Amino acid sequence: MTNPEKNLGEATRVVTAGRDLKNYAGAVNPPVYHVSTIISKSVAELKAHSIREDGGDQVMTYGRRGSPTSWALENAVAELEGGYRTLAYPSGLAAIAGTLLAFLKSGDHLLMVDSVYAPTRRFCNQVLKRFGVETTYYDPQIDSGIRELLRPNTTVVFTESPGSHTFEMQDIPAIAEVAHAHGAKVLMDNTWASPLFFKPFEHGVDVSIQAGTKYIVGHSDAMLGTVTTTQECWPALSTTTWNMGQCAGPDDLYLAQRGFRTLSVRLQQHYRNGLTVGEWLRSRSEVRQVLHPALPETPGYELWKRDFLGASGLFGIELEPCSEAAVVALLDGMQIFHLGGSWGGYESLVLPTNVRKIRTATPWNFEGPLVRLHVGLESVSDLKDDLAEGFQRLHRAG
Ligand SMILES: *Cc1c(COP(=O)(O)O)cnc(C)c1O
């Protein structure tokens, strides 16, 4: 439900969106509804509560169909992403899978970006394939050249910008223009930018997915996904989601809506810290290339500058070619950057990555090892020291 007070500043809307101050006895945050059955006062009310196919107007009818705890989060995400409505899922991957199932049917052709989150790729190759959906992977930097890959039965073009390992940017408006002229829907995994740094619906996206597990939750303590759509796409998404019985747990929804309230300050700090560490890394002799969309020498910088409002704390570095033992020496023994997948929490993380065997549309031609960094909210000087000591270990290991 979009807030009509469009002139409020974005930081204000992060605080106010989706909140209901008239209820809950003045509590600032919504209560956590642990609920399945909703008791009706009369047969007439029972009838009114019988499940409405259109999702109704956020009235409690059954635990699976939402509660004030889920609506607080969903309405906040819908408002900040700039879409019509949002549904929460129990994880980001569940949100991606549910969305693909909502917009594809047997016999359809799906265009999937080659830099996509790897579990999304597995879902296409292992699940969608069984249901007769064919997937073609395309170069993330294809722009309007995607026209050549469209087939009469192409119904969905899936995007993710930047990719969360290789950080190539996509020209979303150019892709959307071609896809829409063909009658296909544009889906986007918008996790990297969060609802704050890319506004998908202003750039032609029809359905935007967030792995809420990352920046929305923000504290590495819950799993959650969200899907936000245009009004036109809402019936397809809501019907499929509810038919599949997808719903997130109340405690995780609560943690996500709580994390959401500090999203603007956290993201600004991730942006600043990430860029500072990225700029420092590019001056290091051990680093061949920094893959950070907000650094001017990174391919895709112009698209980032044109379409994005900031950068998150996740980026990559290509090291100068070195032995595997040297990379291990760099990564083992880090004191502040911890080894771990996922990202978006307050803490810094580091991860060795290798996309060579994964990509199928465009080969990954880099020579040095790839390392992904999530720059958290610690003091930047400590983060630099931690990396500098790691580079000393790298040299000692040869
Ligand atoms: C983590 C992640 C997901 C999946 O989210 P989960 O909540 O872990 O299932 C999807 N897309 C991107 C880009 C991610 O980083």
Side-chain angles (χ1 to χ4, degrees), residues 7 16 27 47 56 78 84 119 150 156 170 210 244 252 288 291 313 349 353 357-358:
N7 54 350
T16 59
K47 281 186 183 156
Y84 171 64
L150 289 166
V156 170
Q170 295 195 256
Q210 290 283 339
M244 292 198 306
D252 293 340
R288 193 180 173 98
L291 305 167
L349 295 170
T353 56
K357 293 199 195 83
I358 299 174

Side-chain angles (χ1 to χ4, degrees), residues 91-94 96 117 160 164 189 191 211 213-214 223-224 342-343:
S91 75
L93 184 58
I96 291 164
Y117 179 64
E160 183 180 328
S164 66
D189 182 333
T191 303
T213 307
K214 309 291 164 58
M223 304 293 301
L224 203 103
S342 199
W343 46 279

Side-chain angles (χ1 to χ4, degrees), residues 121-141:
R121 181 184 282 266
R122 281 197 289 277
F123 179 77
C124 297
N125 295 349
Q126 296 176 11
V127 180
L128 288 181
K129 191 170 172 221
R130 282 200 285 121
F131 292 89
V133 174
E134 193 185 344
T135 304
T136 300
Y137 293 92
Y138 67 88
D139 180 350
Q141 300 178 74

Side-chain angles (χ1 to χ4, degrees), residues 326-376:
V327 180
V328 170
L330 164 71
L331 299 177
D332 282 352
M334 299 291 277
Q335 297 300 307
I336 298 175
F337 281 92
H338 291 293
L339 273 170
S342 199
W343 46 279
Y346 52 81
E347 78 287 12
S348 288
L349 295 170
V350 65
L351 191 72
T353 56
N354 186 354
V355 297
R356 268 186 204 90
K357 293 199 195 83
I358 299 174
R359 301 277 286 243
T360 53
T362 39
W364 184 251
N365 287 325
F366 290 93
E367 289 166 41
L370 211 58
V371 172
R372 186 177 81 176
L373 299 171
H374 178 253
V375 174

Side-chain angles (χ1 to χ4, degrees), residues 227-288:
V227 187
T228 306
T229 72
T230 58
Q231 188 165 3
E232 189 203 342
C233 287
W234 171 253
L237 177 79
S238 54
T239 306
T240 300
T241 304
W242 286 321
N243 282 336
M244 292 198 306
Q246 289 284 14
C247 61
D251 292 314
D252 293 340
L253 288 162
Y254 179 83
L255 288 171
Q257 77 77 32
R258 188 170 80 156
F260 190 91
R261 300 302 168 201
T262 57
L263 192 59
S264 59
V265 280
R266 284 188 289 111
L267 259 288
Q268 288 297 342
Q269 196 64 37
H270 283 292
Y271 181 14
R272 259 197 300 277
N273 285 5
L275 201 54
T276 309
V277 172
E279 281 166 350
W280 176 78
L281 281 165
R282 73 177 164 186
S283 71
R284 295 287 311 198
S285 62
E286 300 84 356
V287 177
R288 193 180 173 98

